[in-house]
Amino acid sequence: MSSEEARALFEPQWLPFIVGGLPYKDPEVAWQVVLDHFPHIPSWPLLPRRHRHENMYVQFSERFPGIAAGGRIRVVADDTLDEGLRRLYLAYLEGELDYGRMGASYAAGLDLLRREEVSFPCTPLALKGEVTGPVSWGLTVVDEAQRPILYDEVLADAVGKHLRLKAAWQERELRKEAPESIMIVNEPYMASFGSAFVSLSQAQVVELLAEVVADLQGMKGVHCCGNTDWSLVLRAPIDIISFDAYDYAENLPLYADEIGEFLDRGGMMAWGIVPAGVASENETAESLVARLHEGIAQLVENGVPEEAILQRGFITPSCGLGFLSPGLVDHILDLTVAVSREMRARYVEGVEDDEKKGEGL
């Protein structure tokens, strides 16, 4: 069975997972939180409070040509830049995935998994990983003139190839532990696409996203926690769109035709219906399920087949949780699981009784 056929057969079943970071400093504590809530699709925990290296931009800067330490992430055009570019392109051409490895100080949660110090309560259906997207990363990292490196033709090309190796190496490690993988490309800057602050062409964006996911064997998706042009994102070769459904579901009908085509070819939607902030304190699983159905109804009214939506959905928080209080995070994760359980009981055949008893799959 090809990887494409395997992904086409994967059923999201309204299962929950998380995107972005968690607020813990101890990777063992973070893993336990993840496994307690998401045993079927665990994510290795990104821990931005643990160390500066786990900032979502610094985290993927290891071995990028000319990268300078300290302060804002920047590329310095010194004597090492050309040699760094040569090493990157050689690794890219030879498929040397180890070039993209993430050291323990940059990804303590992933390191714990790689050292086989994570005990899964059940065999995961898939393990989820994450990489900061090329648009967001390339607009954050700057050159010596404080100009985003994505506006430099040579460095922009290097960004795509660097993150391609990062994503492929990470996926290889995840697939040692589970039969399937999900790799999410996190693109917060896509919310600014089309504004005066982001002067990139549509073709550049699609090419960069396609470059990063090109070597991936498992499922791959794009997450944007703001409003964006989903018709553009859906031109990339991805399987999942992950979005803030709490605040921005009403904008999805603008892209109803593209979403319908995406679902028709086996695409999946990760509905970030649980607000990743204090707004969650005023919500219940019932209120969020009702809000989710409102978003679904708007798509259906605009021609997206309801059956396809109901068959191809995940539940997530709307965004990352890395800088919230642990108590608030517990509440958000509990809500995420509760919404998933309610949707599974309604729409996934054969799980209603088990879900009511809290037994999961």
Side-chain angles (χ1 to χ4, degrees):
M1 180 182 296
S2 70
S3 59
E4 290 79 9
E5 291 170 330
R7 291 196 299 276
L9 292 174
F10 187 90
E11 294 292 339
Q13 300 183 69
W14 293 107
L15 285 165
F17 64 81
I18 55 171
V19 292
L22 289 171
Y24 313 102
K25 294 183 178 181
D26 185 335
E28 293 185 4
V29 171
W31 262 113
Q32 194 57 57
V33 170
V34 168
L35 296 174
D36 285 347
H37 290 89
F38 310 109
H40 303 302
I41 307 180
S43 304
W44 67 267
L46 291 72
L47 308 175
R49 284 184 171 175
R50 187 194 68 85
H51 194 284
R52 177 182 178 272
H53 283 175
E54 295 214 32
N55 166 281
M56 66 179 290
Y57 300 104
V58 179
Q59 191 163 46
F60 295 97
S61 65
E62 256 185 308
R63 285 178 296 283
F64 188 79
I67 206 77
R72 186 174 181 182
I73 318 170
R74 68 191 191 282
V75 171
V76 177
D78 59 17
D79 294 340
T80 67
L81 179 58
D82 287 345
E83 176 59 22
L85 287 168
R86 188 193 70 80
R87 288 197 301 268
L88 168 61
Y89 278 86
L90 186 62
Y92 169 80
L93 292 171
E94 295 184 351
E96 184 190 336
L97 299 191
D98 282 338
Y99 183 94
R101 70 188 182 280
M102 300 176 72
S105 72
Y106 287 84
L110 181 56
D111 182 64
L112 209 63
L113 177 70
R114 294 182 64 228
R115 288 191 281 116
E116 300 183 344
E117 295 183 20
V118 177
S119 298
F120 296 102
C122 60
T123 301
L125 297 178
L127 269 172
K128 184 200 139 279
E130 197 163 314
V131 61
T132 302
V135 174
S136 300
W137 201 85
L139 290 174
T140 298
V141 180
V142 297
D143 61 19
E144 292 172 291
Q146 301 300 304
R147 182 171 178 256
I149 62 172
L150 211 54
Y151 297 137
D152 179 291
E153 185 177 351
V154 172
L155 293 178
D157 188 62
V159 166
K161 290 173 171 55
H162 173 79
L163 293 174
R164 176 173 176 162
L165 290 169
K166 289 285 185 185
W169 174 85
Q170 186 184 144
E171 182 194 66
R172 184 189 70 186
E173 300 304 299
L174 296 178
R175 292 173 75 85
K176 293 176 182 178
E177 306 294 334
E180 187 54 273
S181 59
I182 296 173
M183 185 63 62
I184 296 295
V185 179
N186 195 345
E187 282 286 18
Y189 268 67
M190 281 302 299
S192 300
F193 181 79
S195 73
F197 301 103
V198 179
S199 55
L200 298 172
S201 70
Q202 293 189 0
Q204 283 177 291
V205 171
V206 174
E207 288 170 7
L208 281 165
L209 292 173
E211 174 81 85
V212 172
V213 303
D215 289 332
L216 300 182
Q217 302 301 306
M219 294 175 284
K220 56 255 189 184
V222 170
H223 171 77
C224 179
C225 53
N227 191 23
T228 193
D229 182 349
W230 287 107
S231 65
L232 172 60
V233 175
L234 290 170
R235 286 165 52 188
I238 58 174
D239 307 297
I240 301 168
I241 56 171
S242 171
F243 56 97
D244 180 346
Y246 186 81
D247 286 318
Y248 298 107
E250 63 186 22
N251 295 314
L252 288 179
L254 296 172
Y255 313 104
D257 291 344
E258 292 89 347
I259 290 172
E261 293 171 2
F262 175 67
L263 293 173
D264 187 57
R265 62 177 185 262
M268 294 164 270
M269 302 175 71
W271 294 76
I273 197 63
V274 183
V278 295
S280 64
E281 295 176 339
N282 298 318
E283 300 288 354
T284 64
E286 292 74 20
S287 68
L288 293 173
V289 167
R291 194 180 186 106
L292 174 57
H293 279 105
E294 290 173 6
I296 292 172
Q298 290 176 5
L299 283 176
V300 173
E301 288 171 7
N302 284 271
V304 182
E306 182 177 40
E307 183 179 3
I309 298 172
L310 295 177
Q311 288 180 345
R312 311 299 291 169
F314 297 99
I315 295 294
T316 71
S318 61
C319 200
L321 310 172
F323 295 98
L324 302 180
S325 70
L328 181 57
V329 168
D330 285 343
H331 175 65
I332 291 168
L333 299 185
D334 288 344
L335 274 179
T336 303
V337 172
V339 172
S340 166
R341 184 173 295 139
E342 177 62 25
M343 292 298 289
R344 285 169 54 73
R346 294 190 189 192
Y347 300 116
V348 181
E349 184 177 354
V351 305
E352 182 176 1
D353 292 337
D354 286 344
E355 290 295 348
K356 286 180 177 178
K357 292 185 291 186
E359 295 177 2
L361 289 176

